[in-house]
Amino acid sequence: MIKIDSKQISKTENFKKHVRWFWGLFLGGIFSFFLLFFIASLGGFGEMPDHTQLENLKTNLASEIISNDGKTLGKLYYKANRTPVSYDELPKHLVNALIATEDVRYLEHSGIDARGTLRAILKPGSGGASTITQQLAKLLFTKRASSNKVKRVLQKFKEWIIAIRLERQYTKQEIIAQYLNIASFDNNAHGIRSASRIYFGGKEPNELDQKESAMIVGMLKNPSLFNPLKDKGKRAVKTKKRRNVVLSQMYKYEYISKTKKDSLQKTDLGIKYTPESHNTGTATYFREYIRAWMKGWVKKKINRKPNGEKYNITSDGLKIYVTIDSRMQKYAEKAVARHMPRLQAEFFKQNTSKRNPTAPFLGLNKSEIEKLMNDGMSRGERWRILKSQGKSKKEIRASFYQPTKMTIFKWIDGKVGKVDTIMKPIDSMRYYKHILRTGMMSMDPQTGHVKAWVGGISNRHFQFDMVNQGKRQVGSTFKPFVYATAIDQLHMSPCDEIPMSQITIEANKFGSHESWTPTNSNGEYGGEKTLKAALAGSVNTATARLMNKVGPRPVIDLAKRLGVTSKIPEVPSIALGTTDISVYEMVGAYSTFANKGVYTKPVIIERIEDKNGTVLYQFEPETKDVLSAESAYVTVNLMEGVVQSGSGSRLRHSRSKNEYAYKKIITGYPYELLNPIAGKTGTTQNQSDGWFVGMVPNLVTGVWVGAEDRAAHFSSATYGAGAAMSLPIWGMYMKSCYEDKTLNVSKSNFEKPKNLSVEVDCNRHQQDNLGEDNGTPIEETTDELDLLQ
């Protein structure tokens, strides 16, 4: 008889019991795991993206302003400065760095790395659980990881499911591109393209080298912690260590050699910080113009999405292709930045309290200045803010006389800068009244394409755009409109002679209520000059005589047909440029002369595309015949005389008798532009506004310089004339354009119409003496400054 060992039986039953418990827990765990997966897939742990959302991954994408030569001028965005790039635009070493550091088995798994996940469960803190696809899922649909451990686990289930679905929907390459496009890198760098441009001097992603790519990938772990610019650059040490970890990972997984790793780890980060914001960078005023234009464009019902929604210019990733040439824009900005600090320094020198007790104003008494400053107070931002806070007018005015901390604009070593100081707001107002502004626009007269647009000296400090928003008296730059009218109506020739003697246009002859007798500032009225000599010398009495022949109304009508929309009063004195007109209008008008009498409306935007490349808008040229080709050519021929021997002659000289007298402000001199150039300088009353509009066959450029208030101006024409204030900017800009052979700016003659019936060869009138060729602005200013109204 066999004895049964009860202890053995008990042990066996206990073992079986433990086995059952083990399998129960194991299978229960698996069941729970899949149950949680199932619940998560149904949205039990938060809303899950549907098939449509996965097909159309929605992120806030900045709209991009792209120049005519394919460069990004800037972006329109609200919070996310993000512009997507495709996988093909990513360098291979950047992708390798990402995979080696974040997900070494990326090409093997289908969204979840089982080995990494198991290791993370068995050995918490070892890392490796989150794949690139999961990180993308988190960025797209989870956003912020919960600090609660239980909630974070449930979030993980949601991320796993989304990751699997993303892997089914997209290729591995597309997922990497999406991830790098969505990731943020601090310092307003959203996405790989912004990070590349901001940290490395405007580089595109495909231009990043291995060490730069490694730094970018290293920042993904914690963009704030590894931001090399934080703590005044002290974080750069941590950033470098993290970058070197990435390089070690690349070596570990055989993406680079040990020699390469060791070499790169010794290098500096190579940071070239290039911030991107709405008021920094290239073409800031132009970009602001585009922003306003786009706001109007999206409001029109015809410009809607297929579902009827409005486009959002700050988040829909529109691509706005503009006519600006990035090279020409930089040359224009460089010319302004070279000339304006010198001109400003001379203006400050002339407006010290000893030299001008009412600085920067001239010709105003104490009460007039007080009124001007009070008006400025009530229009300012400080007044608006304090009023919104419920302050009384008395309290607001008193605050302007209390010293306060502030940052003010200042040219520093020829660059736009700022200075922290303590100053009374009323004193800062007066300081800013000293600051000279500028406006500049350049345009192809045949196509209408605007090539450069500089609305001021600093968009951060002076946001009023002096190309399109600002309108100032144009002075003698208006005279070609009078001459063109006379040529068109009376068939006059540049060689026709006109008396220089004084003339009075009687009251009521042209509807004016007052008689008008313009004067020449040099007091000379004898003899006769050819039309070409008269315009070259900018003789007021000659222009007045032409106005007396044709009358104000035909001149106004011509100006309107030339694209001038500003109001022009029907009085004879408009002949001398008493009307306020914008740089934008003047350049468009002069372009008609260069374009054989055909006005082409300035073109700013060529086309607009959505983020998928679908064209939403295509510009259509607006042109109209204004003058005969003959009249336009003769007017151009007249304006060539201004550069050949008049106030614009400094453009041609290799040297000047008076070069040293003007060396403080005549930047970039000598210009030595010996090719055919037509143009006109302009200087308004008391030197408040200085103009130069110049043209060659395929480029017309206008420049204005002046202060905010017309009472702030130079005391003499030496520095206050258009030839001293504006012409140097034009000269430097054109010199740069000609040095850049890729631009193909014309050096040819203006095309002469066939069968020209007007005499333009004035050799027989050489005795008229077109003006002493001395390169000074005196010839222009003697007759331009007196704008009697």
Side-chain angles (χ1 to χ4, degrees), residues 45-293:
F45 305 141
E47 185 180 356
M48 294 291 289
D50 59 24
H51 182 71
T52 304
Q53 288 174 295
L54 289 173
E55 271 190 344
N56 301 282
L57 298 177
K58 187 166 180 61
T59 56
N60 289 334
L61 301 177
S63 291
E64 191 175 7
I65 303 172
I66 303 170
S67 71
N68 186 257
D69 56 322
K71 302 295 183 182
T72 298
L73 294 176
K75 301 174 187 177
L76 305 177
Y77 59 89
Y78 174 52
K79 291 182 178 179
N81 176 17
R82 179 182 290 111
T83 306
V85 297
S86 67
Y87 181 84
D88 293 337
E89 296 174 86
L90 302 173
K92 184 65 176 175
H93 46 256
L94 174 66
V95 175
N96 292 341
L98 177 65
I99 292 175
T101 308
E102 297 293 327
D103 190 355
V104 72
R105 284 176 291 277
Y106 175 71
L107 298 176
E108 300 168 14
H109 63 68
S110 297
I112 301 175
D113 182 2
R115 286 170 57 185
T117 302
L118 185 61
R119 183 175 70 249
I121 293 172
L122 297 176
K123 190 179 179 181
S126 61
S130 186
T131 66
I132 291 172
T133 317
Q134 285 174 244
Q135 291 179 49
L136 175 61
K138 181 170 70 173
L139 289 171
L140 285 170
F141 300 108
T142 306
K143 304 299 183 188
R144 187 181 295 274
S146 175
S147 58
N148 183 289
K149 291 184 178 180
V150 175
K151 287 184 178 180
R152 181 63 192 132
V153 169
L154 298 180
Q155 281 183 342
K156 275 288 185 184
F157 277 101
K158 180 180 177 182
E159 290 167 15
W160 281 333
I161 293 168
I162 296 172
I164 292 170
R165 292 180 179 178
L166 286 171
E167 290 271 353
R168 292 174 181 171
Q169 188 74 42
Y170 297 99
T171 66
K172 290 286 187 181
Q173 291 80 6
E174 288 171 334
I175 289 171
I176 282 181
Q178 286 278 9
Y179 174 59
L180 289 174
N181 282 328
I182 290 173
S184 291
F185 298 87
D186 231 15
N187 288 315
N188 197 32
H190 302 274
I192 182 63
R193 186 155 185 252
S194 289
S196 175
R197 290 172 59 86
I198 288 172
Y199 288 111
F200 298 109
K203 278 190 174 183
E204 293 298 329
N206 59 11
E207 298 172 322
L208 293 173
D209 61 27
Q210 286 185 325
K211 66 182 179 66
E212 292 166 344
S213 296
M215 192 203 89
I216 292 286
V217 169
M219 290 183 69
L220 287 167
K221 185 175 183 179
N222 189 326
S224 180
L225 179 64
F226 298 113
N227 179 347
L229 304 176
K230 280 280 181 74
D231 300 332
K232 297 182 179 179
K234 293 178 182 178
R235 294 268 183 95
V237 176
K238 289 184 177 180
T239 310
K240 185 175 180 179
K241 287 180 179 178
R242 176 61 185 164
R243 180 204 67 179
N244 289 348
V245 168
V246 176
L247 291 170
S248 294
Q249 288 294 102
M250 293 180 74
Y251 163 65
K252 179 180 178 180
Y253 294 108
E254 301 181 349
Y255 287 114
I256 57 174
S257 66
K258 186 177 188 305
T259 304
K260 189 73 172 176
K261 172 191 75 92
D262 292 342
S263 173
L264 292 175
Q265 285 182 336
K266 293 175 183 177
T267 62
D268 293 331
L269 291 173
I271 299 293
K272 188 178 179 182
Y273 181 51
T274 310
E276 290 188 346
S277 68
H278 299 308
N279 55 17
T280 60
T282 304
T284 50
Y285 289 93
F286 177 78
R287 281 153 42 195
E288 198 55 41
Y289 173 85
I290 292 296
R291 178 194 293 276
W293 192 94

Side-chain angles (χ1 to χ4, degrees), residues 666-683:
I666 305 303
T667 322
Y669 189 84
Y671 311 111
E672 299 180 294
L673 301 176
L674 304 179
N675 54 286
I677 298 171
K680 188 69 189 79
T681 52
T683 307

Side-chain angles (χ1 to χ4, degrees), residues 406-475:
M406 63 179 67
T407 301
I408 61 172
F409 164 87
K410 187 178 181 180
W411 289 108
I412 301 175
D413 297 327
K415 295 181 180 179
V416 170
K418 57 184 180 180
V419 176
D420 294 325
T421 186
I422 297 176
M423 186 182 286
K424 296 176 184 178
I426 190 69
D427 291 335
S428 75
M429 278 182 59
R430 194 145 184 165
Y431 168 78
Y432 277 112
K433 297 294 185 183
H434 285 77
I435 304 300
L436 298 173
R437 319 287 180 83
T438 189
M440 177 181 183
M441 186 177 117
S442 194
M443 169 181 160
D444 183 325
Q446 279 81 46
T447 63
H449 287 189
V450 175
K451 295 297 184 180
W453 178 305
V454 184
I457 54 176
S458 170
N459 185 250
R460 181 186 293 275
H461 299 92
F462 309 101
Q463 295 178 352
F464 197 71
D465 187 343
M466 294 307 300
V467 168
N468 194 44
Q469 291 177 304
K471 297 185 179 185
R472 298 296 289 257
Q473 279 191 346
V474 292

